[in-house]
Amino acid sequence: MDRQTLVSSSSSTNSGNSISPAPPEDAWVNTYRKLLPRWESLTGSNQLAIPIEISRVNQVDAERLDIEMSAMLKEQLVKVFSLMKPGMLFQYEPELYAFLEFLIWRFSIWVDKPTPGNALMNLRYRDERAIEETGKVRTGLEGPGLTIAQKIWYCAATVGGQYIWARLQSFSAFRRWGDTEQRSLARRAWYLIQRIEGFYKAASFGNLLVFLLTGRYRSLIERALQARLVYGSPNMNRAVSFEYMNRQLVWNEFSEMLLLLLPLLNSSSVKNFLRPFSKDKSSNSAGDEALCPICQATPTTPFLALPCQHRYCYYCLRTRCSGSLSFRCSRCNEPVVAMQRHGGSFNNVTQKE
């Protein structure tokens, strides 16, 4: 193969592998403008609101934290009025509590900020009606806050409604509308108040069941206003751990249960039941035998419980025997069948009729 043939072959190869000319600078812009209307028509017709799940625990915890915050402010308010005229706080208590709730609303919801509890749980209010109208969302958390009308109605229902209801209940109880001796108009108004309260509680219970099922609108006010709680930031964790909130809720419910059950329990019976398990045997010492086992004081008018002959105050022993048909001695747990004045004659125990 001669030199001329190699040169011609090399030139033909280079011409076949030559780089094609670059497209115009505005080619990409023109293509984008052509395809954009078609893309918007395809995505806009099929785009729906993204279903999102807001943690029910976070919503309930936020409500509990708001209640705790209000309780702390009320406690500080009580301390402020402790040095003033007695009874002044009790007279204007509903107005002061309503003013505190109004301040919380004014500096949170009115200025498009979450309440303290919602802020800790990374929640905010969203107008669900605007989402249903537009339907254009990306993460499911977009959407405007509450409108001015929704904010005003929220304040009227939470602050004004609670204040009016508290005042109405106190006024009706003070006037004794529920007594049968009152005129029929007041009695009907009392029954109407009770019916409204019962209906509201039943509706709240139904709303709670729906909330547990769907995770939307934890209260009737939120459902009526269509004010839904959503996450304020999709990448932010809750500020309060579940462990702390679980412990707080458990102890709160346990304390309420104790406050309900303790008045129903007989303290002396519980004390006598726990006595065999106690390691402290000092109550059987000779020094404690001279004291009344109920009031732990030296009896001024000593009486003996029979048949065990342990010493009591007359008033302590008489009230216990009159209040219980089967009163037992606080020292030896024997049934007391009679009482005797120290050094005197027998007196039968007064039984409950």
Side-chain angles (χ1 to χ4, degrees):
M1 186 180 294
D2 56 358
R3 181 180 181 87
Q4 185 177 1
T5 304
L6 293 175
V7 171
S8 61
S9 176
S10 176
S11 61
S12 63
T13 303
N14 294 335
S15 63
N17 295 333
S18 61
I19 301 175
S20 61
E25 295 181 358
D26 57 345
W28 295 106
V29 178
N30 295 333
T31 305
Y32 171 76
R33 291 176 179 176
K34 291 179 181 179
L35 296 179
L36 180 61
R38 298 179 60 184
W39 173 257
E40 290 181 349
S41 63
L42 292 175
T43 58
S45 60
N46 299 326
Q47 186 178 17
L48 299 175
I50 299 176
I52 57 174
E53 289 290 338
I54 307 300
S55 174
R56 298 164 179 80
V57 176
N58 284 14
Q59 299 182 59
V60 176
D61 289 350
E63 184 179 14
R64 173 62 63 178
L65 289 173
D66 285 334
I67 295 175
E68 295 292 338
M69 180 65 67
S70 299
M72 291 174 58
L73 294 176
K74 292 175 183 178
E75 183 180 357
Q76 298 299 322
L77 185 64
V78 170
K79 292 181 179 180
V80 170
F81 281 86
S82 62
L83 302 178
M84 296 186 179
K85 182 180 178 181
M88 183 177 179
L89 179 62
F90 177 77
Q91 184 178 1
Y92 300 102
E93 184 177 6
E95 287 79 8
L96 294 175
Y97 288 173
F99 179 70
L100 287 179
E101 296 294 338
F102 174 78
L103 289 180
I104 296 176
W105 170 85
R106 170 61 180 81
F107 294 102
S108 59
I109 296 178
W110 177 252
V111 293
D112 293 326
K113 292 183 178 180
T115 61
N118 292 341
L120 290 174
M121 294 295 106
N122 185 29
L123 297 173
R124 69 176 183 90
Y125 278 116
R126 184 181 72 180
D127 186 6
E128 201 69 7
R129 299 175 301 177
I131 297 299
E132 293 177 358
E133 292 176 358
T134 59
K136 294 181 179 180
V137 293
R138 295 180 60 187
T139 64
L141 302 178
E142 296 89 348
L146 303 182
T147 62
I148 297 179
Q150 286 177 314
K151 296 174 184 178
I152 295 176
W153 278 112
Y154 186 92
C155 178
T158 56
V159 181
Q162 292 181 2
Y163 166 72
I164 294 175
W165 187 253
R167 270 302 182 190
L168 183 60
Q169 283 189 326
S170 62
F171 182 78
S172 60
F174 179 75
R175 295 289 182 176
R176 297 183 179 179
W177 287 0
D179 294 347
T180 55
E181 295 82 3
Q182 295 289 335
R183 58 186 182 275
S184 59
L185 182 60
R187 202 162 53 246
R188 290 178 182 176
W190 174 261
Y191 291 152
L192 179 61
I193 293 175
Q194 298 300 317
R195 292 284 183 87
I196 294 175
E197 184 177 6
F199 177 78
Y200 178 78
K201 290 182 178 180
S204 299
F205 179 72
N207 181 80
L208 176 62
L209 297 180
V210 177
F211 166 74
L212 295 177
L213 179 63
T214 62
R216 295 188 178 189
Y217 311 120
R218 62 187 179 183
S219 66
L220 292 174
I221 299 174
E222 295 177 358
R223 186 171 297 275
L225 298 177
Q226 292 189 2
R228 187 184 180 187
L229 284 173
V230 296
Y231 292 123
S233 174
N235 301 321
M236 178 179 176
N237 297 326
R238 50 184 281 151
V240 182
S241 64
F242 286 101
E243 181 181 359
Y244 169 76
M245 290 304 303
N246 290 339
R247 184 168 63 249
Q248 186 73 9
L249 290 174
V250 168
W251 280 109
N252 182 71
E253 299 301 329
F254 184 70
S255 61
E256 290 183 358
M257 183 187 67
L258 288 181
L259 292 176
L260 176 65
L261 295 180
L262 284 180
L264 305 178
L265 299 178
N266 190 343
S267 59
S268 61
S269 301
V270 175
K271 183 178 179 180
N272 293 330
F273 175 77
L274 298 177
R275 186 182 299 276
F277 304 98
S278 177
K279 297 180 180 181
D280 187 10
K281 304 299 182 179
S282 60
S283 59
N284 297 326
S285 61
D288 290 342
E289 289 291 338
L291 302 177
C292 175
I294 297 176
C295 64
Q296 297 297 323
T298 303
T300 55
T301 307
F303 265 69
L304 301 179
L306 298 179
C308 61
Q309 296 188 356
H310 285 124
R311 186 181 300 182
Y312 288 84
C313 296
Y314 171 75
Y315 177 77
C316 296
L317 185 58
R318 174 65 70 179
T319 53
R320 293 302 189 279
C321 293
S322 300
S324 176
L325 297 176
S326 58
F327 174 69
R328 293 177 175 270
C329 178
S330 301
R331 294 192 183 278
C332 60
N333 201 26
E334 288 191 18
V336 178
V337 298
M339 54 186 294
Q340 177 187 8
R341 186 181 180 90
H342 188 62
S345 59
F346 287 94
N347 287 325
N348 291 333
V349 176
T350 303
Q351 302 290 339
K352 293 182 65 176
E353 297 180 359

